[in-house]
């Protein structure tokens, strides 16, 4: 079993838009003995860094970006542990306890100075795992500073932005789909469905009706096979794919 304990997460505000974070991750046995030479790997924001614990069981990471990280801890003779954790701005100190049994986590409580909702934490977790066909993060939105939300989608492979009855929509490049109208049926363009914070929008909803500055992130699922379990119950025509838009908390 692997146990994660939060000692302190203190926020240090430096008057900058981007504040570096540090993480001291201490690896102990279940008898509280420090485990030296344990390999600790952090993955987040597109970067992977690795460090080994010293004689006190500490692995120090500096100049991290605040936010969600995936930590993997390995030590010869002990079961490996993996945990998602949120690194707050400033100094962070965490303790992980390992034993020689199968590595499982008890309930993990992550505390940080930044309050976020579960829906955004779920988005960040899926982003790190690479669940979606494509993802547009808040950092990319701020960097590109688009006037219209559809501008963010024009570079995404597997779809094209088009006009439909005065609404800006995203059409899948998978081809057309069969549609029935009354007693007749035929092929129509494959327009992707839109969800906002998990709510399915009406067909042919205008993507550009959503202001880019209110968006935290966007997930693009090219088809129903890519949809995560928690989104698989959406009662919608998702064969053409889904664009899931998640708005900011503040």
């Amino acid at each position: 079993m692997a146990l994660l304990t939060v000692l302190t997460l203190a926020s240090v505000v430096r008057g900058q838009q981007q504040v570096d974070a540090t993480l001291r991750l201490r690896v102990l046995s279940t008898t509280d003995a420090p485990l030296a030479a344990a390999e600790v790997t952090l993955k987040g924001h597109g970067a992977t860094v690795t460090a080994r614990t010293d004689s006190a069981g500490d692995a120090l990471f500096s100049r991290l970006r605040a936010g969600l990280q995936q930590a993997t801890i390995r030590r010869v003779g002990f079961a490996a542990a993996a945990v998602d954790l949120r690194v707050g701005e400033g100094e962070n100190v965490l303790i992980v306890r390992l034993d020689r049994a199968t590595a499982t986590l008890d309930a993990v409580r992550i505390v940080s100075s930044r309050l976020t909702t579960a829906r955004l934490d779920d988005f960040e977790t899926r982003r790190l795992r690479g669940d979606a066909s494509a993802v547009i993060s808040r950092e990319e939105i701020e960097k590109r500073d688009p006037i219209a939300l559809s501008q963010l989608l024009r570079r995404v492979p597997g779809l094209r932005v088009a006009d439909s009855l005065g609404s800006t929509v995203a059409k899948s490049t998978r081809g057309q789909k069969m549609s029935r109208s009354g007693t007749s049926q035929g092929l129509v363009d494959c327009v992707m469905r839109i969800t906002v914070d998990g709510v399915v929008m009406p067909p042919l909803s205008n993507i550009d009706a959503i202001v880019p500055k209110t968006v935290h992130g966007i997930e693009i699922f090219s088809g129903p096979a890519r949809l995560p379990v928690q989104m698989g119950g959406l009662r919608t025509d998702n064969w053409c794919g889904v664009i899931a838009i998640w708005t900011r908390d503040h």
Side-chain angles (χ1 to χ4, degrees), residues 5-217:
T5 303
V6 180
L7 285 187
T8 60
L9 271 81
S11 175
V12 179
V13 179
R14 302 178 184 175
Q16 302 177 9
Q17 186 177 8
Q18 178 72 39
V19 180
D20 291 335
T22 63
L23 170 65
R24 183 182 300 275
L25 196 151
R26 177 166 296 176
V27 182
L28 305 176
S29 70
T30 52
T31 60
D32 285 338
L35 297 180
E39 181 184 82
V40 181
T41 301
L42 285 184
K43 180 180 179 181
H45 300 288
T48 301
V49 290
T50 301
R52 289 191 178 274
T53 57
D54 57 19
S55 59
D58 290 345
L60 180 62
F61 298 88
S62 59
R63 301 191 64 81
L64 297 174
R65 291 180 61 184
L68 196 67
Q69 300 273 350
Q70 287 182 320
T72 303
I73 303 97
R74 295 182 175 88
R75 170 65 153 78
V76 175
F78 290 80
V83 63
D84 292 337
L85 57 93
R86 180 169 292 281
V87 176
E89 295 176 347
E91 299 177 357
N92 300 263
V93 179
L94 307 180
I95 288 179
V96 176
R97 289 181 173 83
L98 302 179
D99 65 16
R100 299 179 185 274
T102 302
T104 58
L105 288 176
D106 288 341
V108 177
R109 181 170 180 263
I110 304 299
V111 181
S112 82
S113 58
R114 179 187 175 194
L115 299 177
T116 58
T117 59
R119 63 188 174 85
L120 297 186
D121 280 344
D122 290 343
F123 165 82
E124 293 294 346
T125 299
R126 290 192 299 271
R127 181 172 70 87
L128 289 175
R129 287 200 305 252
D131 289 356
S133 306
V135 173
I136 300 172
S137 67
R138 182 62 205 165
E139 289 82 3
E140 182 176 352
I141 296 172
E142 291 179 344
K143 180 179 179 180
R144 295 174 61 179
D145 192 22
I147 297 175
L149 199 66
S150 60
Q151 293 176 258
L152 297 169
L153 300 174
R154 295 185 184 277
R155 301 180 185 176
V156 176
L159 66 83
R160 60 185 178 88
V161 176
D163 179 83
S164 178
L165 302 177
S167 293
T168 303
V169 299
K171 296 182 179 181
S172 172
T173 58
R174 299 177 67 184
Q176 295 181 309
K177 68 172 183 176
M178 187 66 67
S179 176
R180 180 181 295 274
S181 177
T183 59
S184 62
Q185 63 180 13
L187 292 174
V188 297
D189 288 341
C190 207
V191 178
M192 304 178 73
R193 294 304 297 269
I194 303 295
T195 69
V196 178
D197 293 334
V199 178
V200 182
M201 305 303 291
L204 303 181
S205 290
N206 189 357
I207 295 173
D208 286 337
I210 302 170
V211 179
K213 291 186 181 298
T214 67
V215 176
H216 175 82

